[in-house]
């Protein structure tokens, strides 16, 4: 069972649970259903939401992130991208290689296509696909404007069942794993384990989305 009593509750949101009323999740004890959802792995570490590197990982280090997620992204990410700090990253996913991204987000199922920073919802938790989002540096003003508007310029998107490998010329990379700051040995191999987690939830959930067609991995969306 999932009780939405954490700081961000992305997983609870995508399960359709009422994050404003944690006690409502207890209805699963008397009128519940079982869901089978995917699990993501970054090396040996499990994640249910996402793992981030580069500028995205730097966001979770900022104390303001927990209280003002969107505002912190818009404030920190543009400056970080413009400075191009941190080790050079290379991301390999199936036939796609992205060299030198400044920010990388690998998610357990893809986020919606109008979500440039992994701040919104995932339409599915059982597609068997990793979502990959990489960003390259622009000027701070351009990056901030595009984050606010949702324009995908400068981003590379991918939905894939293949492993995603993040390489760098350092022995370990700072990362954000489900919003927590960690250090992962390189190369970091991310994979998805389809339908690996059994979750018991209330039958009636206010945020439950109707099932739709899962994203096709073969459609690689690259906008430069």
């Amino acid at each position: 069972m999932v009780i939405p009593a954490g700081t961000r509750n992305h997983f609870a949101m995508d399960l359709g649970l009422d994050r404003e009323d944690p006690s409502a999740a207890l209805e699963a004890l008397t009128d519940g259903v079982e869901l089978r959802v995917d699990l993501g792995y970054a090396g040996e570490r499990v994640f249910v939401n996402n793992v981030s590197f580069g500028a995205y990982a730097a966001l979770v280090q900022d104390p303001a992130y927990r209280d003002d997620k969107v505002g912190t992204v818009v404030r920190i990410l543009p400056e970080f991208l413009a400075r191009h700090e941190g080790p050079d990253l290379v991301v390999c996913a199936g036939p796609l290689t992205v060299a030198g991204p400044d920010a990388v987000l690998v998610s357990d199922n893809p986020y919606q296509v109008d979500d440039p920073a992994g701040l919104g919802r995932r339409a599915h938790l059982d597609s068997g696909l990793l979502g990959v989002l990489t960003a390259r540096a622009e000027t701070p003003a351009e990056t901030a404007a595009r984050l606010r508007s949702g324009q995908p310029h400068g981003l590379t998107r991918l939905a894939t069942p293949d492993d995603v490998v993040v390489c760098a010329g350092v022995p370990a990379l700072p990362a954000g794993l489900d919003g927590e700051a960690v250090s992962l040995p390189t190369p970091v191999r991310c994979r998805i384990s389809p339908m690996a987690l059994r979750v018991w939830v209330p039958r009636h959930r206010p945020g439950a989305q109707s099932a739709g067609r899962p994203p096709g991995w073969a459609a690689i969306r690259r906008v430069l």
Side-chain angles (χ1 to χ4, degrees), residues 108-120:
D108 177 3
N109 285 257
Y111 286 97
Q112 295 173 349
V113 295
D114 59 349
D115 180 12
L119 297 173

Side-chain angles (χ1 to χ4, degrees), residues 52 63 74 99 111 114 120 145 149 184-185:
S52 57
V74 172
Y111 286 97
D114 59 349
S149 65
L184 299 176

